[in-house]
Amino acid sequence: MIDLSQAEKQIRYVTNFKDLISIPFQAEINASCWTRNLVGDFSEIIKQIEQNETIVELNKEELLDLKLSEQGQLARNIILNDLKMLKAQGASPILNVIKSYQRDDAYPLFPTDVYSFHVDRSPIPTNTFLCTYHGEPSEILPNAQANQKILVPEIRQELKKLYDGADNGFESFLTEYFFDLHYQPKPNANIVNLGVGHLWKLAVDHPGSQVLPCIHRAPKEKEGNKRLLLIC
């Protein structure tokens, strides 16, 4: 289920891929969702993947080589079609089976891993696309309910302790180490669960963008419950 109670001004819901791709972000809207109720057994794909690493990337050939039941084949066909549609738009989607992401333990006060609410940044105009086919979904933090961490006084003071340089280089330091990309929820913020099976387009911080970048994070995986994620 998608939490519709908040961020309705920020999210546009569409019913097909064409609208997802072609309708631009504007005003407060910086996330679009193609809502879908997918058929097929996506967990069957995960169960067939030998996984010694925390993240395994599946390519098209590996996906086609899997011996799947009828329900597994339905799931595979959906994924293959999503990959095909995104590639036709010039995107470079990847499919991952995820046990967990690497945690950032270098800065305990201010981790910059994907479990922290953050925005994506690009030097060229682009968007982030993602779909969780199985497992815990990603989450959005509405921009109006977020504080940029580097502007929180006590956090900013701690970051200044990490910085060893001239005062006029502090802002560049925050950007170089990606501290400026991270946010924290305001009290009583309503975090939006992106749900399973829906294909999302999220706004990215890039030159010329007309909207705020979409704040999001990866979920903390449940023990033994791997995640099947398409992202680009």
Side-chain angles (χ1 to χ4, degrees), residues 111-232:
T112 55
D113 54 49
V114 295
Y115 296 107
S116 167
F117 277 116
H118 64 281
V119 300
D120 297 331
R121 175 178 292 152
S122 170
I124 60 173
T126 189
N127 298 295
T128 293
F129 291 89
L130 60 85
C131 176
T132 301
Y133 298 109
H134 182 83
E136 296 300 305
S138 300
E139 297 173 323
I140 283 177
L141 175 61
N143 294 71
Q145 299 177 16
N147 288 318
Q148 192 177 20
K149 283 187 174 182
I150 62 171
L151 299 182
V152 177
E154 55 268 29
I155 293 178
R156 194 172 182 86
Q157 284 302 116
E158 291 300 319
L159 288 171
K160 286 183 177 179
K161 294 178 183 178
L162 291 175
Y163 175 64
D164 183 20
D167 290 344
N168 60 4
F170 181 61
E171 297 300 329
S172 296
F173 161 76
L174 297 177
T175 300
E176 179 181 356
Y177 289 92
F178 310 111
F179 293 120
D180 63 321
L181 300 182
H182 291 262
Y183 293 75
Q184 68 180 22
K186 293 180 179 179
N188 302 315
N190 285 275
I191 296 169
V192 181
N193 184 305
L194 301 193
V196 173
H198 312 301
L199 184 56
W200 287 82
K201 180 176 75 171
L202 309 181
V204 170
D205 178 19
H206 63 77
S209 177
Q210 301 299 306
V211 299
L212 293 173
C214 186
I215 304 169
H216 61 286
R217 71 177 176 189
K220 290 184 172 67
E221 298 84 4
K222 293 181 179 178
E223 184 68 28
N225 186 19
K226 298 178 184 178
R227 188 180 186 208
L228 185 60
L229 174 73
L230 178 153
I231 189 166
C232 59

Side-chain angles (χ1 to χ4, degrees), residues 101-115:
Y101 289 102
Q102 183 176 356
R103 302 305 299 261
D104 176 16
D105 55 8
Y107 304 105
L109 172 77
F110 198 142
T112 55
D113 54 49
V114 295
Y115 296 107

Side-chain angles (χ1 to χ4, degrees), residues 83 86-87 90-94 231-232:
L83 292 171
L86 287 165
K87 287 179 180 179
S92 300
I94 58 174
I231 189 166
C232 59

